[in-house]
Amino acid sequence: MPLSAAARPWTPAPAPAVLAAPTRATLAAAYAANRANAAQASRMAAAHGDPHRAAVERELASPSRQLLTFDGRGPGRATEVVGDLAHADRVAVLVPGSDTSLDTYDRFRAGAQALFRELTRQAPPTARPAVVAWLGYETPGTVSTTVLTTGRAEQAAPHLRQLVHDLRAVVGAAPGRSPHLTLVCHSYGSVVCGRAAAGLAVSDIALIGSPGTGAGSVAALHTPARVWAARGADDWVAHVPHVRADLFGTTVGFGTDPMDPAFGARVFRAGKGGHSAYFTPGSPSLTNLARIVLGTPKELR
């Protein structure tokens, strides 16, 4: 198992590729530039004596990978597309929670792949789905003080907003297209989505395994999107106190439980799974997430 970020010094990596905002015409070039950067990062990690990071980055540099962004420095950041973004009209953006980094990236990507497979299985013939796995911020550690505050989410929110803006420019480029964008926000990622939500041009926001959003209600998010919430029966996050308190000048906690009727979210079934089981094939949570992304929520089970 790789050492945690707190337990080892960072592995060296090149600065990320400098690229203009993506368009349908430049997607392939962006993917190629970021794969080349990941390959260089892999070589640097290997030379530094970090075989795990080198292997992760070498895999990210594979010709089949579609990296919209990549930054191998520190815990690492990456935005990866699963599917054909240039022609997509149903796009899910996965926003991860704590302890997600390049060292644990395979676990995060597996969820994106599972959602894409389910979207493909359920999609009507005219729908063209894609999934964007957005590791676009430095996530807090599960055992840390940062996981109890909105600080990392506030730093991440402008980057998530920019991603949504860029995606709309890509998937809305075709005449007559009306793209359906959904944020799928897991765990601490729901705090990030809560901070980014105000006025954001997305159709749906799905909060799964959420400790709270930092807002007291859906109305306080100031979002035009439909807001959904689900929690597995065995998810430990249900036992997290849903409070907000000021301690030594810092606000700790994330407020109202999104599963609470007082919050105002549209609650859907997630099944019996735990905190990491929302993308398990065949689960009610994955089935229902796909229906939200496809814009067919009346079929939620």
Side-chain angles (χ1 to χ4, degrees), residues 4 142 175 221 227 246 263:
S4 70
T142 299
L221 293 174
V227 178
D246 291 323
F263 184 75

Side-chain angles (χ1 to χ4, degrees), residues 53 56-57 60 70-72 75-78 101-105 135:
R53 175 63 72 88
V56 170
E57 292 168 333
L60 282 165
F70 176 80
D71 185 350
R77 301 185 186 190
S101 67
L102 288 185
D103 288 329
T104 61
Y105 184 78
L135 175 55

Side-chain angles (χ1 to χ4, degrees), residues 37-130:
N37 192 272
Q40 184 182 358
S42 177
R43 292 190 293 270
M44 292 175 69
H48 183 71
D50 189 341
H52 176 76
R53 175 63 72 88
V56 170
E57 292 168 333
R58 185 167 55 251
E59 185 61 30
L60 282 165
S62 299
S64 62
R65 306 296 282 268
Q66 300 182 134
L67 300 180
L68 201 57
T69 67
F70 176 80
D71 185 350
R73 299 172 301 180
R77 301 185 186 190
T79 305
E80 183 171 6
V81 175
V82 183
D84 181 2
L85 184 62
H87 298 95
D89 59 2
R90 306 286 193 278
V91 179
V93 178
L94 269 56
V95 182
S98 59
D99 287 328
T100 308
S101 67
L102 288 185
D103 288 329
T104 61
Y105 184 78
D106 285 351
R107 179 183 63 196
F108 177 48
R109 182 176 184 254
Q113 291 177 303
L115 179 57
F116 180 72
R117 286 192 294 268
E118 184 64 18
L119 288 169
T120 302
R121 187 183 73 82
Q122 291 193 36
T126 57
R128 298 177 297 278

Side-chain angles (χ1 to χ4, degrees), residues 172-249:
R177 178 176 295 174
S178 180
H180 186 278
L181 269 63
T182 301
L183 299 182
V184 179
C185 319
H186 179 237
S187 193
Y188 188 88
S190 62
V191 188
V192 177
C193 290
R195 281 293 180 262
L200 194 62
V202 296
S203 301
D204 294 276
I205 299 173
L207 311 171
I208 51 177
S210 174
T213 63
S217 66
V218 168
L221 293 174
H222 303 292
T223 175
R226 292 174 294 192
V227 178
W228 306 83
R231 180 178 299 138
D234 291 333
D235 190 338
W236 56 260
V237 85
H239 305 295
V240 173
H242 292 278
V243 297
R244 295 193 73 190
D246 291 323
L247 298 176
F248 308 110

